[in-house]
Amino acid sequence: MDKKKLIKLSLPKQISSEIEMSIKNGSLNVGDKLPSEPELVKIFGVSRNTVREAIQSLIQAGVLESRQGDGTYVMSSGRFEANMVNRLYESMDEVNEVRLSLEKEIVKFAAVRRTEKDLELISIALENRNLTKDSVSENCKWDMEFHLAIAKASHNSIFYDIYNSFSTFIYKSVEERMNGKETIEGMLNQLHIDLYEAIYQKDAERAESIIVTILKN
């Protein structure tokens, strides 16, 4: 076997990788505030300059955001999500095409692979989604949780990660679309119930048909 030169990561890159890993494994979540710079210095046992360089690289990548006088916050689950979010603003037509194709496959897999635990999580999100009437923002939050629960029920981690990577963008677009459309929302409530029932009954074909109708409204 030929010898291969090992690539040694610089300290700032090691620190940024550690922070990204903390986000990926759930130790840090989107919206969380990072420990202060002095705390990070103690945690990693490195200089302030090293911490600053690591944080700056993640800010430039869109993973973190620095808020003047407040601190640094997690903005995305990683560089992939940050890049995806930037791309999403380029063409809504392409976003809609990708979402339709993705969700059609997700609901079909979910209908075939869902477990009782999956159904429980989907049902909870559905109930909260359809009962939340006073706040469009809260309704859209639960709508996103409903679709993410279905994505998780597909038991395809790549499908889930891709869907999750632009869930915030989808949430915002749904929120904008639903403002002032109570009658359409009433119809969509029933369609989401129908989608749950199709997945419950393991009817992949019906689930695909319903998600197409949902996304066209």
Side-chain angles (χ1 to χ4, degrees), residues 12-13 16 52-63 79:
K13 286 185 178 179
S16 62
R52 286 172 186 168
E53 189 175 336
I55 296 299
Q56 191 58 39
S57 71
L58 292 174
I59 290 173
Q60 291 174 351
V63 177
R79 295 172 193 267

Side-chain angles (χ1 to χ4, degrees), residues 108 111 198 202-210:
K108 285 193 292 184
K202 295 193 171 185
D203 190 337
E205 187 176 338
R206 182 163 175 255
E208 180 183 5
S209 174
I210 293 169

Side-chain angles (χ1 to χ4, degrees), residues 39-52:
E39 289 176 299
L40 291 173
V41 167
K42 288 182 180 179
I43 291 170
F44 294 114
V46 295
S47 69
R48 284 196 173 210
N49 285 340
T50 298
V51 167
R52 286 172 186 168

Side-chain angles (χ1 to χ4, degrees), residues 1 13 18 24 34 67 70 84 88 93 95 101 108 112 118 129 159-160 166 176 187 190 194 197 210:
M1 183 180 293
K13 286 185 178 179
E18 287 288 334
K24 189 171 184 178
L34 250 64
R67 299 177 186 173
D70 189 3
M84 283 291 294
L88 292 175
D93 288 338
V95 170
S101 298
K108 285 193 292 184
V112 174
D118 292 327
R129 179 198 180 282
F159 270 151
Y160 178 81
F166 59 100
E176 290 174 3
M187 179 182 70
Q190 184 57 52
D194 293 343
E197 290 177 349
I210 293 169

Side-chain angles (χ1 to χ4, degrees), residues 129 133 136 139 173-189 216-217:
R129 179 198 180 282
K133 301 181 184 300
V136 171
N139 178 271
S173 67
V174 171
E175 184 179 26
E176 290 174 3
R177 194 176 75 244
M178 295 317 303
N179 272 310
K181 295 184 178 180
E182 293 84 359
T183 55
I184 293 178
E185 182 57 27
M187 179 182 70
L188 286 177
N189 284 352
K216 286 184 176 178
N217 282 285

Side-chain angles (χ1 to χ4, degrees), residues 23 26 29 41 79 81 98 105 109 118 151 166-167 173 210:
I23 298 170
N29 297 302
V41 167
R79 295 172 193 267
E81 179 180 340
V98 171
E105 295 305 312
F109 279 119
D118 292 327
F166 59 100
S167 61
S173 67
I210 293 169

